[in-house]
Amino acid sequence: MSKRVMVVDDSKTMRDMVSFTLKREGYEVVEAEDGIRATEVSGVGIFDLVITDVNMPRKDGITLTKELRMKPQFRSTPILILTTEADATKKAAGKAAGATGWIVKPFDPDQLLSVVKRVCR
């Protein structure tokens, strides 16, 4: 059975790139364009991993991470932050919110897959 991943980013191009990378390795991908939509999608089924951007309209990735961690089905689900932000303060906020890891864009597909395979067992 393939692992199910939710990819959250307001950039359709970025969602497409991440989805393409994961799907070619057999992952099932569900996309959301922002934190509000991700919150709605999070109530449908079980996810093995969440990959989210930080800066998005309506609800940012840090807030989304905090909210997902409060849901029982996401307490142990890995959450990766994939963002252009490399600021240490933002990284600390992500970690405090419950993020499992931080990947800076632009991402290398092989690096992304390596991290996904490591956290998504």
Side-chain angles (χ1 to χ4, degrees), residues 71-90:
K71 296 182 174 192
Q73 70 270 34
F74 284 94
R75 287 205 177 113
S76 61
T77 302
I79 300 175
L80 296 175
I81 306 283
L82 179 62
T83 181
T84 56
E85 296 278 349
D87 179 66
T89 305
K90 284 275 189 179

Side-chain angles (χ1 to χ4, degrees), residues 93-119:
K95 186 174 181 177
T100 308
W102 193 277
I103 300 172
V104 177
K105 297 176 190 173
F107 69 91
D108 172 58
D110 291 334
Q111 178 198 17
L112 177 65
L113 285 172
S114 174
V115 173
V116 167
K117 288 176 183 174
R118 190 175 65 234
V119 300

Side-chain angles (χ1 to χ4, degrees), residues 3 40 46 48 62 103 111:
K3 301 286 186 180
E40 295 167 357
I46 302 295
D48 299 292
I62 302 294
I103 300 172
Q111 178 198 17

Side-chain angles (χ1 to χ4, degrees), residues 14-120:
M14 186 55 63
R15 287 195 316 270
D16 288 347
M17 290 172 56
V18 173
S19 293
F20 176 79
T21 300
L22 296 176
K23 286 178 178 176
R24 74 177 182 182
E25 292 294 316
Y27 292 92
E28 178 186 344
V29 177
V30 176
E31 297 181 20
E33 66 273 14
D34 59 35
I36 296 290
R37 181 68 184 136
T39 300
E40 295 167 357
V41 170
S42 71
V44 182
I46 302 295
F47 290 90
D48 299 292
L49 172 67
V50 176
I51 300 174
T52 183
D53 188 14
V54 170
N55 298 315
M56 297 181 288
R58 302 198 315 154
K59 185 185 292 182
D60 65 79
I62 302 294
T63 301
L64 173 65
T65 300
K66 285 180 192 171
E67 291 179 2
L68 290 178
R69 287 294 183 221
M70 290 190 283
K71 296 182 174 192
Q73 70 270 34
F74 284 94
R75 287 205 177 113
S76 61
T77 302
I79 300 175
L80 296 175
I81 306 283
L82 179 62
T83 181
T84 56
E85 296 278 349
D87 179 66
T89 305
K90 284 275 189 179
K91 285 183 180 179
K95 186 174 181 177
T100 308
W102 193 277
I103 300 172
V104 177
K105 297 176 190 173
F107 69 91
D108 172 58
D110 291 334
Q111 178 198 17
L112 177 65
L113 285 172
S114 174
V115 173
V116 167
K117 288 176 183 174
R118 190 175 65 234
V119 300
C120 190

